[in-house]
Amino acid sequence: MCKKNLLVLSVVLLMFTFNGFAQNTRISDHNEVGWYGFSGTFKLSEKWGMVSEYQWRRNHIITDWQQSLSRISGSYQIQPRLQLRVGYAWAKTFAYGDLPINRYGKSYNEHRAFEMVTLTDKLGIVSLSHRFMLEQRWIGRYTSGDLDKEDQFPFRNRFRYMFRLQLPMKGQWVVDKTPYLVFFNELMVNFGKNVPENVFDQNRLGLLFGYRVNSNFSLEAGYISQILQFGREIDGNNVFQYNNGVMVNTLFSFDLSKKSDKVVE
């Protein structure tokens, strides 16, 4: 897929996302959130690697839980600009906001398997990435409000596409001691027989300021906006949740494939 086609796809998906919110019969719920993330990338060889991630997502910026998310995956670098990842994620979503996602106002667990393809490119000083992701999700559900634990885990599929743009604030590349700006937008769409109400799942948009300390550590912080549609109606109305707040990401990267410079005689 050429650069022009990828940019056109990004614009089309953005238009689809925002057009999908132009509904008259809907209920809105607004929250102030704080998303604090850790990501560790470990290069094991020229082609293979591992990625570990944790997201500490809070409501009211930091005081209350929104979601806890852990993810681990293996990666394979098919070519310099094309990477494949396969992995597993666990998430616990809490009963936050005026209108909890769960109809009984309970927390619930979710297990995911996922497959991801990332394409990267560079236009002048701008670095671009396109992330295509398929998730197989087992989402906890209560058949009664009297239960303390989920008694069902129905299966759903979700497709995700994220467009990310990175711009160095000095020089041509993001190298050590370089500040940079990040813009990203991610669209998520549900599909499959167990999708009850919402094909559109959510959209995330962020504008971050980043700083690369060295090849092992970078820090990004800024604004995050999440628009999420419930998988159920309330009084015959679709429910949309608007979560806006701060995002902070700590990014670690380690090359474990480097060989010792010592010469064995």
Side-chain angles (χ1 to χ4, degrees), residues 170-184:
K170 67 174 184 178
Q172 301 291 314
W173 301 85
V174 175
V175 294
D176 292 355
K177 300 181 180 179
T178 300
Y180 58 93
L181 293 175
V182 172
F183 167 80
F184 70 85

Side-chain angles (χ1 to χ4, degrees), residues 77-135:
Q77 199 72 35
I78 300 175
Q79 53 181 256
R81 295 180 176 177
L82 177 60
Q83 185 187 79
L84 173 67
R85 283 171 57 186
V86 177
Y88 164 80
W90 167 82
K92 183 171 185 177
T93 301
F94 294 81
Y96 66 94
D98 294 331
L99 299 172
I101 295 176
N102 180 270
R103 69 175 65 249
Y104 298 114
K106 294 178 178 290
S107 303
Y108 61 91
N109 293 281
E110 176 184 344
H111 302 276
R112 306 175 191 169
F114 65 89
E115 303 80 41
M116 180 191 307
V117 175
T118 302
L119 300 171
T120 59
D121 211 336
K122 192 170 175 65
L123 295 175
I125 65 172
V126 178
S127 297
L128 306 173
S129 70
H130 303 266
R131 191 181 77 177
F132 303 88
M133 190 172 182
L134 282 177
E135 293 178 315

